[in-house]
Amino acid sequence: MPTIHDVAKRAGVAPITVSRVINNSGYISQETRARVKAAIIELGYKPNIIARSLRSKRTNTLALVLTDITNPFFTAIARGVEDTASDAGFTVIYCNTDESVDEEAKNLQLLMQKQVDGILLVPARSISRSIEMMKEQGTPVVILDRRVPNADVDVVRCDSVEGAYRLVKLLIDQGHRRIAVLSGPKGVSTADDRVEGYHKAMIEAGISDEGLVFYGNYTLTSGYEMAKQALVLSPQATALFAANNFIAIGVLKALRDSGLKVPGDISLVSFDDLPQTLIVDPFLTVAAQPPYEMGCKATQLLLNRIRGEAPSECQEIILPIELVVRHSNGPAKGSL
């Protein structure tokens, strides 16, 4: 089996140069780097990962803990994480929590036992217990998509309050006064923030929103059930605001099953877009977040923490939201 000395001899460099290329550390010219990589491939050299991790106290592994990897929003985040990590020579482990605090704690304990170098976390709830646990273990962490109040931690997210406010204001400007919001779970910052943005727009317009707020889960089933509840309101809602894309899909099914047309009978807007590759004709009006960019920025921030290159103060990076107006909303009946 070839050794690092065999690679060095074939490439015409010192063994320390081969080590630096493998570990992506120190300055190495592109020509030398290419020569070393060619020698590694020619000889079929495989670095001893366990020995490397013992020496460097690193595993070159990151963990991404999500609430639901099946949601295209989180899938795009995961791709941004993986691309950025791969470029830096890191691999990524994925875990799902299904919005469960207990499942989150179990996954994090396992990941820290595996000695991952850092963790990217979409927290199941807006509490800091998990963050405190990781800090006690000295594991760098960056929070994705959500806020965790009173926690001294790096965060990369979008402004859910502003995005919700802009969506609801769009409906109000189209003459809607009976607007129901179908939200995620209470205690999840994105759900709480989107309801706050909804309230802000309604209060600003002098419109009562009593009885128009529904809390559920970020799932198709919950979206369907909340829509069914909203449809029996009296007076009936003329517009629905779905707090994420999965809720919106469930709402569309409920409206179809009820024989209602969008936007002819009722308007619908949603937080989060669906990938263009999944739909032939984009239909929903949405507040679109940049999930891939979110994943990239969070991973780069985590890598900087791991390398000791980040500022001493924790950072909160808030990415812009784009309001994309399509065909799922229109003027309220009788407003023209």
Side-chain angles (χ1 to χ4, degrees), residues 2-294:
T3 68
I4 194 170
H5 294 279
D6 296 326
V7 174
K9 184 176 180 181
R10 175 67 65 92
V13 299
I16 186 62
T17 302
V18 178
S19 178
R20 286 173 177 168
V21 171
I22 292 170
N23 292 297
N24 198 28
S25 64
Y27 173 75
I28 306 291
S29 71
Q30 290 299 320
E31 180 185 352
T32 301
R33 189 179 297 276
R35 200 160 68 246
V36 170
K37 287 183 176 180
I40 289 172
I41 293 171
E42 290 169 10
L43 295 173
Y45 173 68
K46 291 179 174 57
N48 187 325
I49 296 173
I50 295 175
R52 283 170 55 197
S53 65
L54 288 173
R55 286 194 300 270
S56 65
K57 295 184 179 180
R58 288 187 188 172
T59 59
N60 276 32
T61 305
L62 305 179
L64 174 60
V65 182
L66 299 166
T67 56
D68 185 1
I69 191 64
T70 65
N71 188 317
F73 173 75
F74 289 123
T75 304
I77 283 181
R79 188 55 193 260
V81 169
E82 186 171 12
D83 287 350
T84 306
S86 178
D87 288 345
F90 283 70
T91 55
V92 182
I93 298 172
Y94 300 95
C95 297
N96 278 284
T97 67
D98 294 321
E99 302 283 5
S100 166
V101 174
D102 291 339
E103 194 69 20
E104 175 181 289
K106 184 179 75 174
N107 284 331
L108 291 174
Q109 287 171 354
L110 176 63
L111 292 168
M112 287 185 288
Q113 289 172 8
K114 297 291 185 183
Q115 296 184 319
V116 296
D117 295 326
I119 295 175
L120 297 140
L121 172 67
V122 178
R125 289 292 184 275
S126 300
I127 54 178
S128 59
R129 189 179 74 185
S130 294
I131 295 168
E132 290 166 1
M133 179 173 66
M134 287 182 283
K135 284 191 169 184
E136 288 171 1
Q137 295 293 323
T139 304
V141 59
V142 174
I143 298 299
L144 274 161
D145 183 47
R146 299 176 176 179
R147 296 181 297 103
V148 181
N150 305 316
D152 189 24
V153 65
D154 292 312
V155 177
V156 181
R157 65 180 181 91
C158 288
D159 189 341
S160 283
V161 175
E162 177 64 19
Y165 169 81
R166 292 172 64 188
L167 278 172
V168 177
K169 189 174 186 308
L170 172 67
L171 294 172
I172 291 171
D173 289 345
Q174 291 183 315
H176 294 279
R177 294 297 179 269
R178 294 284 291 172
I179 305 168
V181 56
L182 314 180
S183 183
K186 274 188 177 181
V188 173
S189 68
T190 48
D192 294 341
D193 288 351
R194 289 165 197 178
V195 171
E196 181 183 338
Y198 162 83
H199 284 315
K200 178 183 175 183
M202 297 288 275
I203 291 169
E204 186 180 276
I207 304 170
S208 171
D209 54 30
E210 184 177 356
L212 294 170
V213 180
F214 297 85
Y215 286 97
N217 296 307
Y218 283 134
T219 64
L220 279 70
T221 300
S222 187
Y224 185 93
E225 292 170 350
M226 287 189 288
K228 285 292 190 179
Q229 295 172 41
L231 290 177
V232 298
L233 291 171
S234 182
Q236 191 177 53
T238 63
L240 302 176
F241 163 36
N244 90 330
N245 49 9
F246 268 17
I247 290 175
I249 295 171
V251 171
L252 283 171
K253 185 177 187 305
L255 297 177
R256 184 176 66 245
D257 289 352
S258 300
L260 296 174
K261 295 181 180 178
V262 178
D265 298 315
I266 190 167
S267 287
L268 172 65
V269 298
S270 172
F271 221 100
D272 292 337
D273 207 356
L274 290 168
Q276 301 297 310
T277 52
L278 295 183
I279 43 180
V280 177
D281 181 22
F283 174 71
L284 281 172
T285 290
V286 297
Q289 303 184 86
Y292 181 84
E293 183 183 357
M294 189 181 294

Side-chain angles (χ1 to χ4, degrees), residues 152 154 301 305 310-316:
D152 189 24
D154 292 312
L301 180 52
R305 283 279 171 227
S312 56
E313 306 83 14
C314 288
Q315 295 180 279
E316 182 176 44

Side-chain angles (χ1 to χ4, degrees), residues 314-326:
C314 288
Q315 295 180 279
E316 182 176 44
I317 300 173
I318 301 179
L319 302 176
I321 286 176
E322 181 185 5
L323 187 66
V324 184
V325 181
R326 297 193 180 112

